[in-house]
Amino acid sequence: MNEKIQEMKADILSAMAHPIRLKIIEKLRQGPCCVCRIIPYVGGEQSNVSHHLAILKRAGILSSEKKGLEVWYEVTDPVIFEILDLIKYPLIKELKRKNNLLNALVEND
Amino acid sequence: MNEKIQEMKADILSAMAHPIRLKIIEKLRQGPCCVCRIIPYVGGEQSNVSHHLAILKRAGILSSEKKGLEVWYEVTDPVIFEILDLIKYPLIKELKRKNNLLNALVEND
DNA sequence: ATAGTATATGATAATATTTACATATATTCA
DNA sequence: TGAATATATGTAAATATTATCATATACTAT
């Protein structure tokens, strides 16, 4: 049982773990948005963005609604934004660690 | 600049996004632990676990220290545990959504 | 009905990740 | 020194992900 939960958590994380998909999620921080504005925001090909949207939707991270010709996406749970905000901290720690290495390298040439 | 940060965030998420690696992190919730106890906990081959440990370390999620013959690993930033705790919520939401589909399917045969 | 627009889907090649096996390294102990 | 142990590394095959191109679908307006 716990194994399966671990797997599902990994699936959600994998769905988030791509630069284009993170950019899509960031765009949706402002609120729901149609694909026609997501595409120019993230850059890249229409069909590629569409695939990434599908991956996020399959993982349950996004939901979508049709409005006439347009499709509007939104983040289903704002906790996703919290997670992305928290990721900042290990990133800072890691960059500081690398900075220390840099200093050590430069100082005692 | 922001693009690069997005990429680095994606790298940390990718490093976390694997069932074995999540299991390693869960094991380390109790505190630092040597590889010799991580391997039987997560199951799987020694060299495979070692590779996964290396991936987590490269991402800055784990750090390691040699103690005689053993190598002890630990999670560098407890915020990692917070993130894994938060992932639970979109997961619950997603499973509820699927449960609704199930009900709809069963009720109006 | 037809044309035009927004988005999704399918197929495939390119690329990356994962696993398994074999071997290497580092440390301890006799 | 040599054997034993814990862990890491190299490599290659199996598998999964990504990007691209072509095409399909759904809707709107004429």
Side-chain angles (χ1 to χ4, degrees):
Chain A
M1 174 57 86
N2 204 39
E3 302 276 303
K4 195 59 197 169
I5 288 174
Q6 225 62 302
E7 256 178 61
M8 289 187 294
K9 281 191 175 186
D11 286 345
I12 292 185
L13 287 168
S14 307
M16 295 173 71
H18 188 285
I20 290 182
R21 297 198 290 267
L22 287 183
K23 210 164 175 192
I24 290 171
I25 293 171
E26 280 310 325
K27 174 71 179 167
L28 295 174
R29 221 185 249 268
Q30 310 158 210
C33 177
C34 79
V35 178
C36 59
R37 265 174 292 147
I38 293 173
I39 292 173
Y41 181 80
V42 308
E45 231 208 315
Q46 178 272 321
S47 77
N48 195 22
V49 175
S50 189
H51 276 132
H52 286 300
L53 285 167
I55 288 168
L56 287 165
K57 192 176 172 184
R58 236 184 296 124
I61 294 169
L62 303 186
S63 64
S64 69
E65 195 192 352
K66 204 146 197 212
K67 284 192 184 176
L69 256 187
E70 298 177 344
V71 178
W72 286 61
Y73 280 84
E74 71 182 320
V75 170
T76 54
D77 192 335
V79 84
I80 294 294
F81 301 123
E82 284 185 59
I83 291 167
L84 291 181
D85 291 341
L86 288 180
I87 288 281
K88 182 182 169 182
Y89 299 106
L91 192 52
I92 290 172
K93 231 172 191 168
E94 175 62 4
L95 289 174
K96 280 189 180 163
R97 200 177 61 81
K98 282 184 181 159
N99 192 52
N100 289 343
L101 287 179
L102 169 66
N103 289 339
L105 205 58
V106 170
E107 277 164 27
N108 24 299
D109 51 4
Chain B
M1 173 58 87
N2 204 39
E3 302 276 302
K4 193 60 196 168
I5 287 173
Q6 224 62 302
E7 255 177 61
M8 288 187 295
K9 282 191 175 185
D11 287 343
I12 292 185
L13 288 168
S14 307
M16 295 172 71
H18 188 285
I20 291 181
R21 297 199 290 267
L22 287 183
K23 211 165 175 192
I24 290 171
I25 294 170
E26 280 310 325
K27 174 70 180 170
L28 296 174
R29 221 186 249 267
Q30 311 158 210
C33 177
C34 79
V35 178
C36 57
R37 266 175 291 145
I38 294 173
I39 292 173
Y41 181 80
V42 308
E45 232 208 316
Q46 178 271 321
S47 77
N48 195 22
V49 175
S50 189
H51 275 134
H52 285 300
L53 286 167
I55 288 167
L56 287 166
K57 192 176 172 185
R58 236 184 296 123
I61 294 170
L62 303 186
S63 64
S64 69
E65 193 192 355
K66 207 150 193 203
K67 284 192 185 176
L69 256 187
E70 298 178 343
V71 178
W72 286 61
Y73 280 85
E74 71 182 317
V75 170
T76 53
D77 192 335
V79 84
I80 293 295
F81 301 123
E82 284 184 59
I83 290 168
L84 291 182
D85 290 341
L86 288 179
I87 288 281
K88 182 181 168 181
Y89 299 105
L91 192 52
I92 290 171
K93 230 171 191 170
E94 175 61 4
L95 289 174
K96 280 189 180 161
R97 200 178 60 82
K98 281 184 180 158
N99 191 52
N100 289 343
L101 286 178
L102 169 65
N103 289 339
L105 205 58
V106 170
E107 277 165 29
N108 20 304
D109 55 6

